[in-house]
Amino acid sequence: MSTGAYVNDITKYFDKQIKLDIWDMVSAYFEKTNPNIDYPTWFAFQQPNDENSNLYYGFPELDWKYKNYIRVAPDYPFAIYDSPSERKKPTSEDFKETEEWVKNHMTDLDSNAKFKSTCMLGLPKNKNKLLYLDFITDDKNVVVQTGGWVAKFAPTFGKICSQLLINGRTDYNISHFKIESEDLK
């Protein structure tokens, strides 16, 4: 199973709960004020400030979605929860830092956020782990994968999960992703 931030809604049926920080993140589209600007997919690495990690990323204009707009998002949460059930709807304040960043760094965009959205991801509370990929049951009938930005690895993780379930093992070294007793509530 790969249920992201909702993993504990499923693992509770196996009397297990994984310690996660649920990050709630925002993103928005910003209108181009210069029609000739063509931003690529990008990531801005900056020194942290007092309020956040000061990391931002974005995607280019798409012909099939929000023409004349660029997607910009902070790479830090506006809220952190222990459970998705604690999630609150973001306010306009939760987009202000991104709007300010766009105003200061992307002069060819209108700094008023449009087409706003949010996403959640579950990150291990264990800071030595980026994700979990392991059996959740002692009889090795259920595999769990959860954590962070791992959708990019879906084909490989799908292969690993199928190997684990069919063969009880995988050809890949997944020892770094093992669920240890200290990772459980």
Side-chain angles (χ1 to χ4, degrees):
M1 82 181 79
S2 183
T3 55
Y6 292 92
V7 69
N8 285 326
D9 289 352
I10 303 298
T11 61
K12 68 183 178 185
Y13 295 107
F14 304 103
D15 296 322
K16 304 264 174 83
Q17 293 284 276
I18 299 172
K19 294 178 187 173
L20 293 176
D21 282 330
I22 310 299
W23 280 25
D24 210 349
M25 301 174 73
V26 297
S27 74
Y29 286 81
F30 294 83
E31 188 172 15
K32 291 167 51 174
T33 56
N34 176 352
N36 298 319
I37 194 70
D38 187 23
Y39 288 111
T41 299
W42 56 271
F43 200 102
F45 296 93
Q46 296 178 303
Q47 292 297 315
N49 63 28
D50 292 339
E51 298 172 25
N52 62 55
S53 67
N54 210 24
L55 301 174
Y56 290 86
Y57 67 95
F59 298 99
E61 174 183 9
L62 300 171
D63 288 336
W64 50 270
K65 185 172 186 176
Y66 306 131
K67 183 107 174 98
N68 205 42
Y69 286 82
I70 303 290
R71 183 173 173 221
V72 179
D75 195 30
Y76 58 87
F78 74 88
I80 299 175
Y81 312 115
D82 288 322
S83 167
S85 64
E86 299 172 38
R87 191 175 196 197
K88 295 176 180 67
K89 185 175 179 179
T91 67
S92 59
E93 274 305 302
D94 297 317
F95 292 88
K96 288 293 183 202
E97 288 179 37
T98 304
E99 289 176 328
E100 188 66 28
W101 192 88
V102 167
K103 180 180 176 183
N104 293 331
H105 298 283
M106 302 184 86
T107 55
D108 291 318
L109 299 181
D110 178 340
S111 62
N112 294 306
K114 303 282 194 281
F115 310 113
K116 300 172 182 178
S117 64
T118 64
C119 70
M120 284 190 304
L121 50 115
L123 295 172
K125 283 191 183 280
N126 181 341
K127 300 306 178 204
N128 294 319
K129 298 203 177 172
L130 297 174
L131 59 102
Y132 295 113
L133 178 55
D134 196 5
F135 291 103
I136 195 70
T137 58
D138 294 334
D139 61 9
K140 298 189 175 188
N141 282 331
V142 179
V143 173
V144 168
Q145 183 286 304
T146 192
W149 298 267
V150 298
K152 300 162 197 74
F153 306 107
T156 302
F157 285 173
K159 182 177 180 179
I160 292 169
C161 289
S162 65
Q163 287 176 347
L164 288 170
L165 290 170
I166 293 168
N167 305 322
R169 61 177 183 73
T170 180
D171 299 332
Y172 295 87
N173 178 1
I174 59 169
S175 61
H176 299 300
F177 312 134
K178 186 170 179 50
I179 301 171
E180 308 285 352
S181 59
E182 63 265 17
D183 300 320
L184 299 172
K185 293 181 185 180

